[in-house]
Amino acid sequence: MKLYGYWRSSAAYRVRIALNLKQLNAEQVSIHLVKNGGEQHSEMFSQLNPHHLVPALIDEDEQGEFTLTQSMAIVEYLEEQYPQHPILPTNLKERAIVRAMSQSIACEIHPLDNLRVLQFLVKEMGVDEEAKMKWYHHWIHLGFKALEVQLADTAGQFCFGDSPTMADICLIPQVYNAYRFNVDMTHYPNIVRIWLQCNQLPAFANAAPEAQDDAS
Ligand SMILES: N[C@@H](CCC(=O)N[C@@H](CS)C(=O)NCC(=O)O)C(=O)O
């Protein structure tokens, strides 16, 4: 397998955690999201993903190599194709709950604070740095506030019970971003506790941005 990603991409970070939890190896290819106007827009990468977003995963089956995009689709693919060390509960209702928590992060928080959205705010809408950060913090707080309430019901050591799931795979990169941009985390004790717990596991620690070869 080959994973096209970027050290600070939270969507690629999700896939790195999933690969590690499942003890799968993938060659890492760095697509620098800032250098040269963003390598995600290059001819080479556009052929892998016309949406110009990392990650992209190459795997192969009996028909040959194929490319997958969208981190959540990739994580679900890994779960089905490589069922060892499951990242979803076996119970149907519980799987739906974990997927919903995951999507609350991946669909409701992350896209609003993505690089191209922030770049559009600054370059096209004339937003200054302070307003950009207000926007950034707003969407994280809105999502984390609600998640914190849900976690009071669902969490054990991790977001759902006592083993890591797709919800933790989504949460940890989002918390990394929150700390990176100085979001005040004092009102999210469950989230912070899970962040600390996950980072003790090599699967999470080895997937962290600063642990990647392209970290600069
Ligand atoms: N929903 C997509 C989001 C992918 C995404 O937003 N990737 C970001 C990095 S985290 C990216 O490539 N951004 C490039 C840009 O904004 O130009 C997924 O989960 O894969």
Side-chain angles (χ1 to χ4, degrees), residues 6 32-34 38 40-41 53 110-121 132 136:
Y6 179 60
H32 202 297
L33 296 186
V34 185
Q40 69 274 33
H41 306 298
L53 295 168
H110 175 262
L112 290 158
D113 284 346
N114 196 7
L115 177 65
R116 65 185 182 178
V117 171
L118 301 179
Q119 285 174 340
F120 191 83
L121 285 174
K132 183 181 94 174
Y136 193 97

Side-chain angles (χ1 to χ4, degrees), residues 7-8 27 38 41 43 48 55 59 63 88 95 99 114 118 175 184 202 212:
W7 65 293
R8 266 190 173 146
E27 180 193 339
H41 306 298
E43 186 67 33
L48 291 177
D59 200 2
Q63 281 148 6
L88 284 170
R95 275 205 302 282
R99 286 190 173 113
N114 196 7
L118 301 179
V175 176
D184 177 6
Q212 306 313 303

Side-chain angles (χ1 to χ4, degrees), residues 82-157:
Y82 306 101
Q84 71 270 21
H85 310 294
I87 50 176
L88 284 170
T90 47
N91 175 280
L92 177 65
K93 180 182 73 182
E94 294 182 349
R95 275 205 302 282
I97 293 170
V98 168
R99 286 190 173 113
M101 290 173 91
S102 309
Q103 288 175 27
S104 297
I105 299 163
C107 307
E108 313 297 347
I109 304 176
H110 175 262
L112 290 158
D113 284 346
N114 196 7
L115 177 65
R116 65 185 182 178
V117 171
L118 301 179
Q119 285 174 340
F120 191 83
L121 285 174
V122 172
K123 289 187 191 150
E124 306 294 329
M125 309 296 285
V127 160
D128 65 20
E129 190 60 26
E130 191 184 339
K132 183 181 94 174
M133 276 303 118
K134 188 171 175 187
W135 167 280
Y136 193 97
H137 285 212
H138 173 76
W139 298 112
I140 291 196
H141 280 304
L142 201 72
F144 277 9
K145 228 183 267 177
L147 199 62
E148 186 64 28
V149 174
Q150 285 181 306
L151 288 171
D153 278 341
T154 62
Q157 291 182 59

Side-chain angles (χ1 to χ4, degrees), residues 5 9 20-21 29 40 42 75 80-81 83 99-100 127 158 168 200 211 214:
S9 156
N20 291 347
L21 283 170
V29 183
Q40 69 274 33
S42 68
V75 168
E80 289 183 35
Q81 179 71 349
R99 286 190 173 113
V127 160
F158 298 96
D168 304 285
Q200 293 196 0
D214 59 339

